[in-house]
C-alpha cells in the first residue's frame, strides 16, 4: 500500500482546490477503486462542490434578477425625472434637452426649432369652483388634445400648473403657425367631466427659431409672447417680436418700482365726490389711486393696475388703498359732526376677492378705524361679475353680510344683464359714462338711459351715474329718474384735505365742469 504522503491523489486534490479558488465550480475528481480514506475525502469534496455549484448558480440567477429590477427602476426614475406625473408629457428638463437636440441638428442640416408656449385662461376658476380633481381631469384632457395636434418629431411638455409648451424641430414658420392654430382649435370643444361641461380657452406665444438662439432664449421669448397674447384677450396666438422683449424688461422694472412705491410713500389717493343730483349735496366719494413716480411724475391707475394684477402686487395695493381711504374717512368724521349717508367707495378686483382671508382683513381695518361697515362701498367691475367665479361670488356674499355695500362698476359696457342682477349680492349699480355722453343730444339715447335706470330700480338697486359733465346732462338724468351721480360737472378728483373742506362747507356742488390735469 502506498504511503498517504506519497499518494498522487493528494496532488490531484490540491489541484482541484486551486481550480475551485479560480472559480471553476465544475471541476471534479473520480474516486479510485481503492475506496479508502482518500477516496472518501474525494467523494465528500465532490459532494461539497455540487452544493457550492448549485448555490453559485442560484446566486448568479438572483444577481441577474436584481440587476434587471435595478435597471428597470433606473429607467422608471429617469422617466419620472423627465416626464410630468399627471399628464405623462415631457417636463421642463426633457423639453430643454429636446430643444437643445433640435438646435444641434439645425447647426448641421435642419431648420431651427420653433417653441410654442400655451397658458390656459382663468384655469384657477375651475379649481376653485369644481375642485382640484376636476382641474387635474382638465389638464389630462388638454395634454391628450395637444398631442393630437403635433408631428411625431415634436415634443409636448407640461411646465407646471396650467402651462404647456411644444418644441417643433426642423419647422418652417408656416408649419409652426399651423400647429399653434391647431392647438387653439383642439381646445374649442367643451371638456365633459361627469355632469360638468367645461369650456377652456388658452393664450399662445410662439417663438420662431433662429440660429444662434439658446433653449433658454426660445423659452423666454415664447413666454413673453404668451403674456402679450393674454393682454390681447382670450384664445389668441401671438408671435414674438423683438420689441416685446424690451417691453418685458420695462414691465419688470416697473413692477420693481411699484413694489418700492407701496413702501416708500409714492402713492396717494384722490377722491371724486358722489352727489345727490337733486340738490348737489355730497353723499360719498370714490377713492382713486395715483402714483407720484419720482421720474415719470403723476401716473394714473390704468398705467399700472393691470401690471399689479399680473405681478401679484394687487393685494398689497388694495390693502394700501383701503387702509389709507378709511384713515381719511375717520379724519373727516372727526372734523365734520354729521356725515349723513356719506360712504367711501373703493374699487376691488376679482383677484382681491379671491384672496384668502379678505373678509377678516376688511373687518379688521374697519375695526381699527371704528368705521361702520355701511360707510364702505366696494365697487367691482361688471366684467368680473359675469365670470361665474364661485370664490369671488362667495366673498361678495360675505362682504354684504358684513354690512359693506357692493356695487357693480362700469355697468353698460360689454355684457350687462338686468336679469343677472337679480341673482347678484349687490346694492347699487354705477352706470358707465359711455351711456351719458350723448344724453341731451339724442332722443333715442335719452330713452335708452331712462329704460336702463328704470330696470335697475325694478330689481331694487340704486343707480349712480358716472361721467356727468354738463348741466344739460344733469337735467336730462333728473327727468329720467336718476338720483345719484358723479363727474367733472360736480368736481374733479381732489385730495383728502379738499374733501374735508367740501364736507365742512356742506354746500351744493354743481357747474364746476373742471378737469384734472391728467384724466382718470
Amino acid at each position: 500500500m502506498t504511503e498517504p504522503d506519497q499518494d498522487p491523489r493528494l496532488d490531484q486534490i490540491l489541484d482541484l482546490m486551486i481550480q475551485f479558488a479560480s472559480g471553476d465550480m465544475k471541476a471534479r475528481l473520480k474516486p479510485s477503486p481503492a475506496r479508502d480514506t482518500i477516496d472518501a475525502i474525494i467523494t465528500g469534496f465532490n459532494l461539497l462542490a455540487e452544493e457550492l455549484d448549485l448555490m453559485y448558480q442560484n446566486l448568479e440567477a438572483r444577481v441577474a434578477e436584481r440587476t434587471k429590477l435595478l435597471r428597470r427602476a433606473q429607467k422608471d426614475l429617469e422617466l419620472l425625472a423627465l416626464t410630468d406625473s399627471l399628464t405623462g408629457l415631457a417636463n421642463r428638463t426633457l423639453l430643454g434637452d429636446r430643444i437643445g437636440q433640435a438646435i444641434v441638428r439645425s447647426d448641421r442640416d435642419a431648420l431651427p426649432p420653433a417653441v410654442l408656449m400655451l397658458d390656459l385662461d382663468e384655469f384657477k376658476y375651475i379649481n376653485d369652483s369644481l375642485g382640484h380633481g376636476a382641474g387635474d381631469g382638465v389638464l389630462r384632457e388638454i395634454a391628450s388634445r395637444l398631442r393630437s395636434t403635433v408631428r411625431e418629431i415634436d415634443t409636448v411638455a407640461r411646465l407646471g400648473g396650467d402651462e404647456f409648451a411644444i418644441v417643433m424641430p426642423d419647422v418652417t414658420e408656416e408649419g409652426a403657425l399651423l400647429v399653434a392654430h391647431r392647438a387653439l382649435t383642439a381646445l374649442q370643444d367643451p371638456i365633459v367631466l361627469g355632469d360638468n361641461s367645461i369650456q377652456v380657452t388658452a393664450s399662445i406665444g410662439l417663438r420662431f427659431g433662429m440660429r444662434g438662439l439658446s433653449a433658454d432664449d426660445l423659452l423666454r421669448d415664447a413666454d413673453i409672447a404668451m403674456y402679450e397674447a393674454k393682454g390681447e384677450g382670450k384664445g389668441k396666438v401671438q408671435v414674438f417680436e423683438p420689441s416685446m422683449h424690451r417691453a418685458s424688461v420695462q414691465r419688470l422694472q416697473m413692477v420693481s418700482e411699484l413694489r418700492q412705491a407701496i413702501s416708500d410713500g409714492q402713492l396717494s389717493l384722490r377722491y371724486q365726490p358722489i352727489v345727490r343730483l337733486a340738490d348737489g349735496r355730497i353723499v360719498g366719494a370714490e377713492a382713486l389711486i395715483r402714483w407720484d413716480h419720482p421720474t415719470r411724475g403723476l401716473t394714473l391707475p390704468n398705467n399700472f393696475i393691470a401690471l399689479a394684477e399680473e405681478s401679484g402686487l394687487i393685494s398689497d395695493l388694495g390693502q394700501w388703498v383701503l387702509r389709507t381711504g378709511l384713515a381719511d374717512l375717520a379724519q373727516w368724521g372727526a372734523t365734520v359732526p354729521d356725515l349723513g349717508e356719506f360712504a367711501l367707495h373703493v374699487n376691488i378686483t376679482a383677484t382681491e376677492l379671491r384672496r384668502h382671508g379678505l373678509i377678516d382683513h376688511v373687518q379688521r381695518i374697519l375695526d381699527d378705524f371704528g368705521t361702520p361697515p355701511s360707510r364702505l362701498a366696494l365697487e367691482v367691475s361688471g366684467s368680473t361679475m359675469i365670470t361665474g367665479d364661485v370664490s369671488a361670488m362667495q366673498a361678495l356674499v360675505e362682504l354684504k353680510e358684513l354690512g359693506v355695500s357692493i356695487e357693480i362698476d362700469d355697468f353698460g359696457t360689454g355684457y350687462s344683464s338686468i336679469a343677472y342682477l337679480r341673482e347678484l349680492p349687490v346694492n347699487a349699480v354705477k352706470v358707465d359714462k359711455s351711456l351719458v355722453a350723448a344724453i341731451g343730444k339724442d332722443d333715442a339715447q335719452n330713452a335708452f338711459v331712462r329704460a336702463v335706470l328704470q330696470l335697475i330700480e325694478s330689481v331694487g338697486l340704486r343707480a349712480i351715474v358716472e361721467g356727468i359733465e354738463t348741466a344739460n346732462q344733469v337735467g336730462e338724468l333728473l327727468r329720467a329718474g336718476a338720483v345719484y351721480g358723479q363727474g367733472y360737472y360736480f368736481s374733479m378728483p381732489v385730495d383728502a384735505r379738499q374733501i374735508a373742506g367740501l364736507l365742512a362747507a356742506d354746500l351744493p356742488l354743481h357747474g364746476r365742469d373742471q378737469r384734472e390735469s391728467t384724466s382718470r
Side-chain angles (χ1 to χ4, degrees):
M1 184 176 186
T2 306
E3 290 296 325
D5 58 356
Q6 298 175 349
D7 194 312
R9 291 175 298 172
L10 294 177
D11 291 333
Q12 292 173 349
I13 291 173
L14 182 60
D15 290 340
L16 185 63
M17 292 175 65
I18 292 171
Q19 286 179 278
F20 276 180
S22 67
D24 183 6
M25 295 298 172
K26 300 297 184 183
R28 302 288 185 273
L29 274 180
K30 186 176 182 180
S32 71
R35 299 290 189 254
D36 56 11
T37 302
I38 293 178
D39 285 324
I41 292 172
I42 290 171
T43 300
F45 207 98
N46 286 338
L47 291 172
L48 179 59
E50 290 289 341
E51 290 294 324
L52 289 173
D53 187 30
L54 182 60
M55 290 174 61
Y56 187 74
Q57 291 180 37
N58 289 338
L59 178 61
E60 282 188 323
R62 287 200 297 273
V63 169
E65 180 62 25
R66 292 289 176 84
T67 301
K68 183 179 178 182
L69 290 174
L70 285 172
R71 286 175 178 166
R72 185 182 303 160
Q74 183 180 6
K75 287 182 178 180
D76 289 343
L77 287 172
E78 289 174 353
L79 184 64
L80 186 62
L82 297 174
T83 58
D84 171 57
S85 59
L86 177 65
T87 63
L89 298 177
N91 64 10
R92 187 179 292 272
T93 301
L94 182 55
L95 179 73
D97 182 66
R98 294 285 171 82
I99 296 174
Q101 292 177 28
I103 290 173
V104 170
R105 286 197 295 273
S106 71
D107 289 337
R108 296 196 295 265
D109 56 0
L111 293 170
V115 173
L116 177 154
M117 195 76 74
L118 181 150
D119 189 81
L120 301 182
D121 298 317
E122 301 176 346
F123 177 72
K124 186 177 185 299
Y125 297 164
I126 298 173
N127 279 336
D128 289 343
S129 58
L130 300 178
H132 288 276
D136 288 349
V138 168
L139 293 174
R140 283 190 288 266
E141 176 62 20
I142 295 295
S144 175
R145 293 187 185 187
L146 290 179
R147 282 195 192 99
S148 71
T149 67
V150 300
R151 305 167 302 170
E152 287 188 9
I153 62 172
D154 299 335
T155 299
V156 183
R158 179 182 175 225
L159 304 185
D162 59 344
E163 193 172 44
F164 297 82
I166 299 174
V167 56
M168 294 164 276
D170 192 20
V171 68
T172 63
E173 293 185 359
E174 293 78 6
L177 274 171
L178 180 62
V179 170
H181 288 289
R182 278 179 182 168
L184 281 185
T185 301
L187 302 184
Q188 288 181 352
D189 291 335
I191 296 173
V192 178
L193 295 174
D195 295 332
N196 298 303
S197 179
I198 303 167
Q199 188 67 57
V200 176
T201 60
S203 299
I204 292 178
L206 182 59
R207 192 11 161 152
F208 296 139
M210 290 179 60
R211 286 184 171 81
L213 292 177
S214 68
D216 288 341
D217 293 336
L218 291 167
L219 286 169
R220 178 203 62 205
D221 292 350
D223 193 58
I224 289 172
M226 182 266 291
Y227 277 102
E228 289 288 331
K230 275 191 175 295
E232 294 296 321
K234 301 175 183 178
K236 303 288 185 180
V237 174
Q238 178 65 62
V239 177
F240 175 81
E241 298 175 1
S243 60
M244 293 178 186
H245 182 252
R246 292 190 293 273
S248 177
V249 172
Q250 290 171 355
R251 280 197 300 270
L252 286 174
Q253 177 65 26
M254 198 166 183
V255 167
S256 176
E257 292 174 353
L258 182 56
R259 183 177 287 108
Q260 194 70 27
I262 296 173
S263 59
D264 282 1
Q266 297 175 20
L267 303 177
S268 61
L269 289 182
R270 303 289 190 274
Y271 299 93
Q272 186 169 40
I274 297 169
V275 305
R276 203 165 37 233
L277 296 179
D279 57 16
R281 301 287 179 176
I282 299 175
V283 295
E286 180 180 357
L288 304 169
I289 190 170
R290 301 291 187 260
W291 179 6
D292 300 315
H293 193 280
T295 58
R296 287 191 287 269
L298 187 66
T299 305
L300 300 179
N302 57 350
N303 292 319
F304 61 86
I305 291 296
L307 186 65
E309 289 202 74
E310 290 175 13
S311 63
L313 286 176
I314 192 65
S315 291
D316 293 338
L317 209 58
Q319 290 179 41
W320 183 89
V321 170
L322 187 58
R323 183 166 288 279
T324 303
L326 289 179
D328 286 341
L329 177 61
Q331 185 63 36
W332 300 332
T335 57
V336 179
D338 182 14
L339 289 178
E341 60 181 299
F342 186 92
L344 177 71
H345 294 241
V346 175
N347 291 280
I348 188 169
T349 66
T351 302
E352 293 173 89
L353 287 173
R354 298 184 206 109
R355 175 181 168 233
H356 178 70
L358 172 68
I359 312 305
D360 291 339
H361 172 72
V362 172
Q363 178 70 76
R364 186 164 54 252
I365 296 181
L366 288 168
D367 291 343
D368 287 346
F369 294 103
T371 305
S374 59
R375 290 215 182 273
L376 176 63
L378 295 178
E379 299 184 6
V380 190
S381 122
S383 59
T384 298
M385 302 299 293
I386 63 170
T387 59
D389 186 338
V390 174
S391 59
M393 291 291 285
Q394 181 60 35
L396 290 175
V397 169
E398 294 180 24
L399 285 166
K400 188 176 181 183
E401 290 174 348
L402 186 64
V404 172
S405 178
I406 305 298
E407 300 177 354
I408 299 178
D409 196 14
D410 304 324
F411 187 80
T413 59
Y415 175 82
S416 299
S417 168
I418 295 295
Y420 194 72
L421 290 180
R422 299 179 186 275
E423 308 300 325
L424 295 174
V426 298
N427 305 89
V429 171
K430 297 194 77 175
V431 179
D432 188 71
K433 60 184 179 182
S434 62
L435 298 186
V436 181
I439 198 171
K441 301 176 183 177
D442 184 332
D443 289 341
Q445 187 71 10
N446 293 353
F448 177 71
V449 172
R450 186 179 303 111
V452 169
L453 292 171
Q454 290 172 350
L455 287 169
I456 292 172
E457 183 181 358
S458 73
V459 293
L461 301 177
R462 297 192 314 276
I464 301 170
V465 182
E466 297 182 290
I468 301 173
E469 299 193 353
T470 67
N472 185 44
Q473 289 173 342
V474 174
E476 291 294 342
L477 287 169
L478 284 170
R479 282 187 284 277
V483 178
Y484 303 104
Q486 73 181 94
Y488 287 121
Y489 176 74
F490 303 105
S491 174
M492 65 180 182
V494 296
D495 62 26
R497 179 185 56 81
Q498 290 169 291
I499 287 290
L502 292 173
L503 289 171
D506 191 27
L507 295 174
L509 295 182
H510 56 78
R512 295 172 179 258
D513 197 18
Q514 301 176 70
R515 298 291 186 277
E516 194 175 12
S517 57
T518 46
S519 62
R520 175 184 167 187

